[in-house]
Amino acid sequence: MTPPIDIAPARGKLGVLLVGLGAVSTTTIAGVMAIRKGLAQPIGSLTQMGTIRLGKRTEARAPKIKDFVSLAGLDDIVFGGWDIFEEDCYAAARTAGVLEQSQLDQVRGELEAVKPMPAVFDQRYVKRLDGPNVKKGKNKRDLAEQLIADIRAFKSKHGCDRLVMVWVGSTEVYMKETAAHASVASFEKALEQNDDAIPSSMIYAYAALREGLPFANAAPNLTADVPAMLELAARTKSPLAGNDMKTGQTLIKTIIAPGLKARLLGVKGWYSTNILGNRDGEVLDDPESFKTKEESKKSALDYIFQPHLYPELYQDLCHVVRINYYPPRGDNKEGWDNIDIFGWLGYPMQLKINFLCRDSILAAPIVLDVALFLDLARRAGMSGIQEWLSFYFKSPMHAAGLYPEHDLFIQLMKLKNTLRFLKGEDLITHLGLEYYD
Ligand SMILES: NC(=O)c1ccc[n+]([C@@H]2O[C@H](COP(=O)([O-])OP(=O)(O)OC[C@H]3O[C@@H](n4cnc5c(N)ncnc54)[C@H](O)[C@@H]3O)[C@@H](O)[C@H]2O)c1
């Protein structure tokens, strides 16, 4: 057992700044408001409903996570954010069409009070969108300073003790790391020079990290995962998490794949297709934004199956991912997976999964949990990449030279062991020999 880590108490208000007040954000905000009023349950949220086993199984100690570690309470959260559209959160939630009108009306006043600040936006990085609520600036450096001014103004206006920022904006086009991202110095020079290598999302991340805010990227775009951001996060002691929330089809993939591998069942092919009709689907209909998503969705299986260790089972796996924009479905996505597997002596079998899910309903508890856990990390003095939050992401951020952990069950164990470590409790290894001594 190691001594507990010193964690500053979660006193005062926590400002949660969301970049992009679209389907996911408004579902998160309206949900928290409804839960606060006792009108609904926080289903899917580990911070609100999850428990954690402590000590031996015979001790029967399993408190709720929120009673075990100090997390900001839902009543202490203040939401804010930016969007390229001027609609307040009530109107934006109606446009998104995820929650029922009657449910939105129960929290209408609170939702209408959340109005988007003008965004930093450049259509070059999200081709299918255009909106009026956009900042003008001399260059990208100037835009970053404007965001910093927004952050400070929000903090003082709402009397927040602490803030976190989450990018829940649209998926930007596929980008690769360049020399501009190599260090804080080169990044700041590139901001001055309006370098194309800096998409809007990076300007937000830079502003957050400069102010020492924890930052998470809920989308797959290249944002905080570059050396300049890691250097800045280390300098300002800001925790980071991302990328791309693990919901829907990829969530199911990372539940099924570790099971197949555990039983050494081979996989020849995995064909995944989706229909999706919300604004996210529309943005992903652009091939450049889709490429960002595709890369993020495809990597998980390779890491879970470890074909270099099990060439007979997974070496030639054919993995295809498709997303089709189909407006009639709105946010209610439908995904189909066809998995061609093989067993003893190579005999083939098939597994079909048809998931009729609701994207933003699966994503909202993740946004809430990540915001609360990042705030905890900051108060516990943990900075840089928070690998223990991989549980929530399709392309988890990880240290250079390490492969990311994609197995949902290992990720959950890592998350809970991190909480035990923070509180000076024994880590749980599941060895369990002591019960049979
Ligand atoms: N819902 C899920 O299950 C899920 C899972 C993983 C990732 N994501 C990602 O989360 C993001 C949000 O998803 P959504 O369904 O809410 O999409 P959405 O289109 O409803 O909302 C995105 C919002 O971001 C705004 N936006 C775009 N660029 C901006 C900028 N530079 N500054 C401020 N606002 C900006 C848009 O105007 C829009 O309102 C997407 O990138 C999506 O791919 C969603």
Side-chain angles (χ1 to χ4, degrees):
M1 211 189 267
T2 52
I5 304 291
D6 216 4
I7 305 176
R11 238 181 250 128
K13 290 199 170 129
L14 173 68
V16 176
L17 293 172
L18 302 174
V19 189
L21 295 173
V24 172
S25 293
T26 56
T27 307
T28 307
I29 298 172
V32 168
M33 288 167 176
I35 294 159
R36 271 203 300 231
K37 286 189 162 176
L39 300 169
Q41 295 281 335
I43 314 275
S45 162
L46 197 64
T47 58
Q48 305 306 304
M49 299 191 100
T51 62
I52 183 163
R53 178 190 134 198
L54 303 174
K56 295 197 172 44
R57 272 182 271 164
T58 45
E59 291 176 36
R61 284 197 294 149
K64 280 204 164 171
I65 286 175
K66 66 176 180 182
D67 298 328
F68 176 58
V69 285
S70 84
L71 297 173
L74 298 190
D75 286 337
D76 293 326
I77 295 180
V78 191
F79 288 102
W82 295 266
D83 205 289
I84 67 170
F85 298 106
E86 286 158 337
E87 295 174 305
D88 63 49
C89 257
Y90 175 74
R94 289 197 58 186
T95 305
V98 178
L99 300 179
E100 302 198 347
Q101 166 94 41
S102 56
Q103 188 153 37
L104 293 176
D105 285 341
Q106 291 177 314
V107 288
R108 180 170 182 160
E110 296 97 306
L111 282 177
E112 280 174 342
V114 183
K115 296 187 175 31
M117 297 181 264
V120 169
F121 179 74
D122 184 336
Q123 213 189 7
R124 214 173 324 174
Y125 306 102
V126 186
K127 303 231 156 68
R128 298 278 159 103
L129 282 189
D130 198 9
N133 196 32
V134 173
K135 292 188 195 307
K136 290 193 176 38
K138 204 163 72 212
N139 54 30
K140 291 183 178 178
R141 177 79 190 230
D142 178 32
L143 293 169
E145 298 303 333
Q146 291 184 42
L147 288 177
I148 288 172
D150 286 349
I151 293 170
R152 292 183 182 170
F154 183 90
K155 188 171 184 191
S156 95
K157 178 174 172 200
H158 296 279
C160 295
D161 181 61
R162 305 163 323 279
L163 298 167
V164 299
M165 188 191 288
V166 185
W167 170 274
V168 222
S170 311
T171 300
E172 295 175 319
V173 298
Y174 183 71
M175 298 191 64
K176 285 214 153 93
E177 198 180 308
T178 72
H181 310 131
S183 65
V184 176
S186 61
F187 189 85
E188 288 180 340
K189 195 161 152 223
L191 279 174
E192 294 275 355
Q193 294 172 341
N194 260 336
D195 193 323
D196 284 348
I198 302 186
S200 316
S201 62
M202 277 192 194
I203 305 179
Y204 286 96
Y206 170 81
L209 298 180
R210 268 261 312 269
E211 289 297 281
L213 269 55
F215 179 86
N217 182 11
N221 27 263
L222 183 71
T223 298
D225 233 345
V226 295
M229 297 295 173
L230 298 180
E231 186 189 327
L232 189 54
R235 213 188 270 175
T236 59
K237 303 205 177 348
S238 316
L240 287 173
N243 298 301
D244 202 10
M245 289 175 293
K246 180 147 84 172
T247 57
Q249 201 167 41
T250 310
L251 172 65
I252 297 300
K253 232 173 228 180
T254 60
I255 291 173
I256 301 286
L260 296 173
K261 188 177 127 198
R263 287 297 168 121
L264 297 172
L265 293 168
V267 184
K268 247 199 194 82
W270 196 310
Y271 181 84
S272 303
T273 187
N274 294 274
I275 54 175
L276 174 64
N278 58 15
R279 192 181 279 153
D280 186 30
E282 190 180 350
V283 167
L284 293 174
D285 209 34
D286 169 52
E288 288 188 71
S289 285
F290 175 66
K291 184 163 167 52
T292 313
K293 198 65 157 185
E294 187 185 26
E295 294 284 322
S296 168
K297 278 179 167 264
K298 284 181 88 167
S299 62
L301 283 190
D302 264 359
Y303 286 112
I304 292 176
F305 286 135
Q306 298 180 298
H308 58 291
L309 297 181
Y310 304 97
E312 313 87 330
L313 301 176
Y314 308 117
Q315 185 158 273
D316 301 318
L317 169 63
C318 170
H319 185 199
V320 177
V321 180
R322 296 277 177 268
I323 299 178
N324 292 303
Y325 177 49
Y326 180 63
R329 281 300 171 88
D331 196 65
N332 296 352
K333 182 155 87 177
E334 181 158 7
W336 290 266
D337 285 88
N338 169 72
I339 315 164
D340 285 291
I341 64 176
F342 53 96
W344 184 242
L345 313 180
Y347 279 76
M349 295 172 265
Q350 290 185 1
L351 188 61
K352 314 274 182 190
I353 301 168
N354 180 199
F355 190 16
L356 285 86
C357 70
R358 292 172 188 264
D359 245 12
S360 304
I361 293 295
L362 293 169
I366 297 187
V367 175
L368 173 65
D369 282 1
V370 167
L372 295 183
F373 278 144
L374 278 179
D375 173 51
L376 169 70
R378 169 92 218 189
R379 285 182 286 109
M382 298 160 87
S383 62
I385 297 171
Q386 303 299 304
E387 208 202 5
W388 60 288
L389 298 180
S390 298
F391 178 64
Y392 294 107
F393 296 103
K394 281 194 197 80
S395 304
M397 289 181 81
H398 55 92
L402 265 191
Y403 68 81
E405 184 51 70
H406 281 279
D407 179 325
L408 188 81
F409 304 100
I410 297 179
Q411 291 171 334
L412 180 60
M413 207 188 309
K414 188 192 273 290
L415 187 157
K416 289 191 172 178
N417 268 339
T418 303
L419 299 179
R420 293 181 186 110
F421 166 79
L422 286 176
K423 297 290 288 180
E425 286 282 341
D426 280 339
L427 304 190
I428 290 190
T429 62
H430 299 287
L431 179 62
L433 283 179
E434 69 275 20
Y435 300 119
Y436 299 92
D437 281 348

